[in-house]
């Protein structure tokens, strides 16, 4: 029987008897091949696992399952429940070991059976186990940042609602739909909470309540294969209705001493593989299917052949309290075994990416900040605690033993040939990990060498941020000040033009060839303010290149004077402006902008201002500010916007990735954003930009102020060719919390470049040469004089203007 025929029957509307018959007739190798094909179609090469701690809050249980050693009766002198401090001790150890999941597994409603449970709960201030569990979960979340996943048995709607506020996901193994197992002699005899109807109702309630849910089947406890198919179909039907089942576990029974089923036969490997394959074929490509590796001992790598895409939770700290005789495989062993099957091991959160990313639907608001702190842009777990703005730690190399994914290789080849790659292809590149990541970065570096040679450029410039007062409330900005600015550094200021001129002259004396003028959107500024700034700088230092005014400032200035953007740009040109920074782009997607900068220019307005500037004769940079609430799909769309505009105008000089620095950003302080991009994402942004924008934009810049020396060194080996400016004064990233200083002098720039075996070249803003006299002024520059931050002025009412642009 062919794979397509098997898939067609298992995924169709046939009943359990027909599906079972088709599966039973197929040879096991054919089932495994079909299941693996489906798995690969839905999950590619990613094999996930969850770094966890296992916290058995109580091992008392009112059920008497015949195979269980987890359930224990009360013992004199021993506590029935772990204390808060005991739980936190385990959780802290897990946090230190890199775990993200706190798995709470406990017996069903022990207070209904044991007086000892009722007494201890009363002493703890609770009537029920689940009430105490809610308190404990909240404490673990708040004290350690670990994300609780709850396996607490059959629950009511009220119980699940309460626990949804303190957990990211919940779970209940269906185990079986066979009522026979509830009868005397069956595995679930005298276990009321194992009734299939009760368990199915709990799973259904989870769907109604939008609880990301884990369930599964337990095989080898007396059920038939057809009954396994019936259970899987029941799970599929509930998921079809609610979309809430995030993973299905296929768990094999293990006989344990001192249990009723101690002498019962265990399922063999072929039986387990058959059932996993059946689960994949019935549940389809997208479902996450897991089989615990520790229950298959040294044979666990074979489980991948049946279509699993997840290993489940594995703990470097705690044992499997349900199966204490079966230790977890070591993580390196897990990684090696996964690689041997052609797959890439990736750590996940207890809540799967789809349910972590769509947090408005699937998560209580109280859980969202903890998820965002722990997640990367795809919803998997962050690889480490690094964030932009702090020093990059030493990063041990992980051997890459796999071949490159053919899809990735084909996309890279297309990009290097100069054939524009589409949105889906770019998004695919942003998903790369392990050997695929290294291939993309190496290919981008090769392309950089072809386009730019081994020269790394930089410009000696000075940032002059003339005011930090701003009427806009961008959630990512820690620089702007206003009456309602929250927990932000420093005092508001509004520089006198004399101070701007002084800084410009000082920059020139120190070898600077450019001043970059930007600031907040001051409520009293008009277009004349920007014109006067440009005229003052041009008059004071005629040969200084003026790189100034974001598209937002241009649009605002034009509006206050009642001019079109084009007319205002022409006036700026006459006033001495040379080029514009392509900042305020953030992410060119209006759904993202509605979250991070809702009152700012929308995507079309930003593109229109830039295109108009190019038409007037200005060159500009292009930027992306990434790593907050955005996704790889948004990054791909952004790059395509930039590429399309460049194809029309040719006006961009370079593309500048700006990693989000989260430490003091309001949106991060409110728990509404991630902690900046991961380092993998930073490398990919530079590399993919090089590939996706080739051959239209030849220069890719990397930001030392956000990434530090180690970070930019890695990016210069991943497609970047330019280190940007020496800056002299950097205020915006510093306000957000970066630790990398305000200036990287030319000598330090060149030392860093030479340490990579590259050749440094000081450039002008437009990538022209710099004369030797100017270069030497930069190399021998005096220390900067202290800056003067002029306090805000009181301006006459007639000079005040509308606070914000009115959006069309």
């Amino acid at each position: 029987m062919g794979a397509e025929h098997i898939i067609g029957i298992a995924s169709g509307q046939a009943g359990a008897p027909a599906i079972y018959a088709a599966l039973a007739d197929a040879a096991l190798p054919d089932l495994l091949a079909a299941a693996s094909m489906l798995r690969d179609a839905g999950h590619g090469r990613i094999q996930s696992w969850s770094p966890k701690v296992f916290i058995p809050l109580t091992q008392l249980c009112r059920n008497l399952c015949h195979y269980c050693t987890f359930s224990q009766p009360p013992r004199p002198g021993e506590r029935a429940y772990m204390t808060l401090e005991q739980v936190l001790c385990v959780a802290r150890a897990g946090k230190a070991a890199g775990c993200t999941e706190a798995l709470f597994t406990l017996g069903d409603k022990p207070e209904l059976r044991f007086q000892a449970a009722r007494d201890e709960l009363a002493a703890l201030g609770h009537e029920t186990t689940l009430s105490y569990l809610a308190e404990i979960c909240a404490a673990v979340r708040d004290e350690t940042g670990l994300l609780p996943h709850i396996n607490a048995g059959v629950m009511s709607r009220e119980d699940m609602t309460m626990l949804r506020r303190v957990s990211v996901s919940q779970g209940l193994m269906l185990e079986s739909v066979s009522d026979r197992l509830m009868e005397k002699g069956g595995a679930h005899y005298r276990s009321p909470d194992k009734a299939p109807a009760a368990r199915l109702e709990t799973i259904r309630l989870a769907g109604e309540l939008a609880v990301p849910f884990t369930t599964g089947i337990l095989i080898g406890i007396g059920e038939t294969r057809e009954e396994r198919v019936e259970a899987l179909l029941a799970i599929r039907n509930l998921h079809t209705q609610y979309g809430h089942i995030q993973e299905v576990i296929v768990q094999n029974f293990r006989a344990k001493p001192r249990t009723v089923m101690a002498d019962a036969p265990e399922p063999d490997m072929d039986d387990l593989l058959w059932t996993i394959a059946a689960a994949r074929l019935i549940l389809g490509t997208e479902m996450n299917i897991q089989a615990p590796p520790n229950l298959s001992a040294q044979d666990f790598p074979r489980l991948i052949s049946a279509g699993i895409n997840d290993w489940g939770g594995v703990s470097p700290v705690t044992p499997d309290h349900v199966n204490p005789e079966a230790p977890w495989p070591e993580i390196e062993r897990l990684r090696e075994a996964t690689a041997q099957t052609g797959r890439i091991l990736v750590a996940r959160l207890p809540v799967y990416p789809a349910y972590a990313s769509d947090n408005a639907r699937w998560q209580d608001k109280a859980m969202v900040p903890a998820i965002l702190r722990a997640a990367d842009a795809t919803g998997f777990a962050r690889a480490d605690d690094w964030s932009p703005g702090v020093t990059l730690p030493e990063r041990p190399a992980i051997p890459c033993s796999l071949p490159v994914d053919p899809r990735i290789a084909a996309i890279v080849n297309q990009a290097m040939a100069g054939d524009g790659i589409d949105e889906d292809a770019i998004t695919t590149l942003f998903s790369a990990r392990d050997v695929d990541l290294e291939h993309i970065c190496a290919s981008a570096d090769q392309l950089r060498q072809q386009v730019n040679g081994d020269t790394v450029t930089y410009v000696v410039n000075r940032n002059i941020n003339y005011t930090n007062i701003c009427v806009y409330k961008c959630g990512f900005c820690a620089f702007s000040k206003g009456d309602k600015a929250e927990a932000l550094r420093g005092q508001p200021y509004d520089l006198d033009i004399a101070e701007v001129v002084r800084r410009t002259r000082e920059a020139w004396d120190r070898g600077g060839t450019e001043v970059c003028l930007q600031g907040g959107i001051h409520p009293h500024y008009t277009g004349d303010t920007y014109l006067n700034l440009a005229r003052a700088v041009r008059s004071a230092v005629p040969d200084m290149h003026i790189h100034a005014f974001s598209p937002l400032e241009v649009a605002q200035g034009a509006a206050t004077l009642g001019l079109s953007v084009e007319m205002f740009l022409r006036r700026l040109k006459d006033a001495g402006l040379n080029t514009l920074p392509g900042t305020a782009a953030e992410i060119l997607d209006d759904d993202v902008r509605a979250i991070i900068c809702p009152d700012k220019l929308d995507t079309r307005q930003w593109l229109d201002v830039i295109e108009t500037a190019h038409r007037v004769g200005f060159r500009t940079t292009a930027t992306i500010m990434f790593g907050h609430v955005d996704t790889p799909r948004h990054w791909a769309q952004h790059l395509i916007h930039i590429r399309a505009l460049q194809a029309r105008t040719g006006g961009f000089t370079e593309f500048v990735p700006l990693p989000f620095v989260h430490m003091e950003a309001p949106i991060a302080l409110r728990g509404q954003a991630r902690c900046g991009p991961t380092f993998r994402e930073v490398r990919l942004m530079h590399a993919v930009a090089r590939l996706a924008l080739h051959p239209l934009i030849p220069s890719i810049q990397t930001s030392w102020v956000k990434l530090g020396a180690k970070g930019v060194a890695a990016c210069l080996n991943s497609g970047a060719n330019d280190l940007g400016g020496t800056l002299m004064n950097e205020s915006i990233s510093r306000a957000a919390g970066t630790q990398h200083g305000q200036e990287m002098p030319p000598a330090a720039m060149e030392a860093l470049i030479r340490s990579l075996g590259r050749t440094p070249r000081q450039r002008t803003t437009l990538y022209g040469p710099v004369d030797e006299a100017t270069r030497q002024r930069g190399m021998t520059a005096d220390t900067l004089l202290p800056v003067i931050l002029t306090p805000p002025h009181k301006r006459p009412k007639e000079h005040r203007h509308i606070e914000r642009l009115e959006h069309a």
Side-chain angles (χ1 to χ4, degrees):
M1 186 182 298
E4 292 185 2
H5 183 66
I6 297 170
I7 293 169
I9 294 175
S11 62
Q13 298 303 309
I19 293 175
Y20 167 68
L23 297 175
D25 286 345
L28 182 60
D30 292 338
L31 288 180
L32 301 185
S36 294
M37 183 173 69
L38 280 184
R39 184 265 322 281
D40 293 347
H43 300 276
R45 300 207 293 178
I46 298 298
Q47 187 76 16
S48 54
W49 70 290
S50 178
K52 74 176 180 184
V53 288
F54 191 135
I55 302 176
L57 188 63
T58 181
Q59 291 186 249
L60 303 185
C61 183
R62 73 166 181 161
N63 297 307
L64 297 170
C65 301
H66 289 189
Y67 47 77
C68 181
T69 58
F70 178 77
S71 174
Q72 299 292 327
R75 293 188 174 94
E78 294 185 10
R79 296 191 62 91
Y81 295 86
M82 294 177 71
T83 66
L84 174 59
E85 191 50 44
Q86 287 173 326
V87 170
L88 288 176
C89 183
V90 174
R92 290 178 186 126
K95 181 70 172 179
C99 297
T100 53
E101 174 181 356
L103 169 64
F104 287 91
T105 292
L106 51 153
D108 280 77
K109 307 178 188 65
E111 65 272 20
L112 298 182
R113 180 181 176 193
F114 300 110
Q115 184 63 44
R118 294 192 289 273
D119 292 343
E120 193 164 321
L121 284 171
L124 291 166
H126 293 273
E127 291 187 1
T128 68
T129 297
L130 297 184
S131 171
Y132 181 49
L133 174 63
E135 177 190 328
I136 294 291
C137 287
V140 166
R141 176 198 64 200
D142 297 340
E143 292 284 332
T144 70
L146 294 188
L147 303 174
H149 171 83
I150 293 172
N151 292 337
V154 171
M155 291 182 284
S156 68
R157 178 186 297 273
E158 293 71 26
D159 291 332
M160 297 182 81
T161 300
M162 171 181 64
L163 293 173
R164 188 180 189 272
R165 301 185 191 107
V166 295
S167 64
V168 296
S169 51
Q170 299 177 34
L172 176 72
M173 291 288 284
L174 174 57
E175 297 196 9
S176 176
V177 292
S178 174
D179 288 318
R180 293 182 301 99
L181 302 182
M182 302 290 295
E183 298 170 359
K184 189 172 183 177
H188 292 152
Y189 178 59
R190 297 177 65 194
S191 301
D193 294 304
K194 298 292 184 172
R199 297 177 90 76
L200 287 167
E201 176 61 9
T202 297
I203 300 170
R204 189 193 68 79
L205 285 173
E208 283 193 358
L209 296 171
V211 173
F213 209 74
T214 294
T215 189
I217 61 174
L218 178 60
I219 70 168
I221 57 173
E223 82 295 344
T224 66
R225 281 189 173 184
E226 186 170 341
E227 286 170 334
R228 295 177 197 173
V229 171
E230 290 174 0
L232 292 169
L233 287 173
I235 292 169
R236 186 176 77 180
N237 291 340
L238 286 169
H239 183 64
T240 299
Q241 186 173 1
Y242 297 105
H244 67 303
I245 295 176
Q246 63 167 358
E247 68 178 332
V248 172
I249 302 170
V250 178
Q251 182 171 332
N252 48 315
F253 160 72
R254 293 286 298 267
K256 297 176 176 61
R258 298 183 300 280
T259 65
V260 176
M261 295 180 67
D263 297 324
E266 298 179 347
D268 62 21
M269 178 56 75
D270 282 355
D271 194 17
L272 178 57
L273 294 176
W274 184 93
T275 309
I276 295 170
R280 172 60 69 195
L281 293 165
I282 290 169
L283 297 170
T285 59
E286 299 299 323
M287 181 58 70
N288 297 295
I289 296 180
Q290 173 201 132
N294 58 316
L295 300 186
S296 295
Q298 296 305 308
D299 285 338
F300 78 86
R302 293 183 61 193
L303 301 175
I304 289 181
S305 69
I308 65 168
N309 66 288
D310 186 78
W311 289 120
V314 176
S315 180
V317 176
T318 54
D320 180 349
H321 291 280
V322 173
N323 299 283
E325 78 287 353
W328 311 113
E330 293 184 357
I331 304 307
E332 281 311 306
R333 169 68 178 130
L334 199 66
R335 190 185 310 280
E336 291 168 4
T338 302
Q340 287 168 5
T341 65
R343 299 182 64 72
I344 298 172
L345 189 67
V346 177
R348 62 166 173 86
L349 306 178
V351 57
Y352 277 81
Y355 301 88
S357 300
D358 189 4
N359 55 54
R361 177 182 179 188
W362 294 108
Q363 298 296 330
D364 188 88
K365 289 182 179 179
M367 298 308 303
V368 171
I371 293 172
L372 291 172
R373 283 192 296 270
D376 69 10
T378 58
F380 284 102
R382 296 182 75 89
D384 53 40
D385 291 332
W386 177 83
S387 291
V390 301
T391 301
L392 190 70
E394 293 298 326
R395 309 178 71 82
I398 297 176
C400 300
S401 58
L402 296 176
V404 175
D405 186 329
R407 293 181 309 149
I408 296 287
I411 294 169
V412 167
N413 289 340
Q414 180 183 348
M416 292 185 71
D419 300 330
I421 52 178
D422 64 17
E423 181 182 316
D424 287 343
I426 296 172
T427 303
T428 297
L429 293 185
F430 278 127
S431 72
R433 297 172 186 270
D434 198 85
V435 67
D436 297 330
L437 164 67
E438 299 305 327
H439 177 72
I440 290 168
C441 291
S443 298
D445 194 49
Q446 178 185 342
L447 185 57
R448 181 272 313 158
Q449 205 281 333
Q450 293 172 10
V451 173
N452 307 99
D454 286 327
T455 297
V456 176
T457 49
Y458 69 93
V459 61
V460 178
N461 69 345
R462 184 169 198 169
N463 275 13
I464 303 177
N465 302 120
Y466 36 77
T467 185
N468 62 355
I469 299 169
C470 188
V471 298
Y472 288 81
K473 300 300 178 186
C474 299
F476 56 83
C477 182
F479 172 72
S480 70
K481 303 292 177 285
D483 294 338
K484 297 180 181 178
E486 50 192 292
L488 304 181
R489 296 179 176 184
Q491 296 298 315
Y493 67 82
D494 180 10
L495 297 187
D496 285 331
I497 282 187
E499 173 63 7
V500 173
V501 167
R502 186 197 70 77
R503 294 190 196 184
T504 301
R505 287 180 173 140
E506 185 179 33
W508 181 260
D509 291 341
R510 299 178 86 247
T513 59
E514 171 198 303
V515 286
C516 179
L517 307 176
Q518 292 186 96
I521 305 299
H522 194 296
H524 302 160
Y525 278 15
T526 70
D528 284 331
T529 309
Y530 305 122
L531 291 167
N532 289 336
L533 281 165
R535 290 176 186 130
V537 170
R538 176 61 61 233
S539 175
V541 187
D543 292 332
M544 181 67 82
H545 185 104
I546 303 175
H547 182 65
F549 313 133
S550 73
L552 178 59
E553 290 165 292
V554 170
Q556 189 78 10
T560 62
L561 299 180
L563 298 174
S564 69
V565 166
E566 180 171 345
M567 182 59 68
F568 183 56
L569 282 166
R570 293 189 184 282
R571 289 195 183 183
L572 285 170
K573 193 166 192 171
D574 291 341
L577 181 64
N578 298 109
T579 56
L580 279 74
T583 50
E586 325 314 353
I587 294 292
L588 294 175
D589 178 273
D590 287 338
D591 290 338
V592 173
R593 298 177 82 81
I595 298 171
I596 66 172
C597 51
D599 51 359
K600 214 167 186 176
L601 297 179
D602 62 26
T603 297
R604 179 44 52 196
Q605 289 171 321
W606 188 92
L607 290 167
D608 286 346
V609 172
I610 290 290
E611 186 160 11
T612 303
H614 292 175
R615 186 170 62 249
V616 167
F618 286 111
R619 303 293 299 278
T620 75
T621 61
T623 64
I624 184 171
M625 195 276 293
F626 65 106
H628 32 81
V629 302
D630 45 347
T631 68
R633 178 68 62 179
H634 296 130
W635 304 341
Q637 292 166 351
H638 186 104
L639 289 175
I640 286 175
H641 279 305
I642 296 298
R643 187 176 69 194
L645 181 52
Q646 181 73 343
R648 293 196 299 273
T649 68
F652 289 125
T653 55
E654 69 232 51
F655 181 75
V656 188
L658 299 172
F660 171 56
V661 178
H662 79 285
M663 283 75 85
E664 299 291 337
I667 195 171
L669 294 175
R670 295 193 296 264
Q672 297 171 338
R674 300 192 304 279
C675 299
T678 66
F679 193 60
R680 179 187 70 87
E681 293 162 355
V682 167
R683 292 181 66 202
L684 276 171
M685 181 58 73
H686 291 78
V688 175
R690 167 64 69 186
L691 294 166
L693 299 176
H694 176 68
L696 296 172
I697 299 181
S699 185
I700 306 296
Q701 187 180 118
T702 184
S703 172
W704 64 263
V705 76
K706 296 177 186 295
L707 297 175
K710 290 182 181 178
V712 295
C715 293
L716 288 170
N717 286 323
S718 301
N721 65 286
D722 186 78
L723 265 179
T726 58
L727 301 184
M728 299 191 197
N729 297 115
E730 199 294 316
S731 304
I732 295 174
S733 295
R734 186 163 49 93
T738 184
Q739 302 172 358
H740 299 308
Q742 297 190 64
E743 180 178 24
M744 184 180 282
M749 284 268 194
E750 297 202 358
L752 172 59
I753 293 164
R754 287 194 175 95
S755 73
L756 301 174
R758 306 277 177 81
T759 302
R761 181 176 73 83
Q762 185 180 341
R763 63 170 174 85
T764 65
T765 308
L766 294 174
Y767 288 79
V770 174
D771 66 80
E772 187 59 26
T774 301
R775 209 179 98 77
Q776 286 304 316
R777 288 205 310 272
M779 288 294 180
T780 59
D782 292 334
T783 302
L784 284 165
L785 295 175
V787 297
I788 298 170
L789 298 179
T790 315
H793 305 283
K794 284 193 173 181
R795 299 177 185 242
K797 288 183 179 180
E798 60 269 19
H799 290 165
R800 301 181 184 182
H801 64 77
I802 57 172
E803 287 197 349
R804 291 182 177 86
L805 281 171
E806 292 296 328
H807 284 214

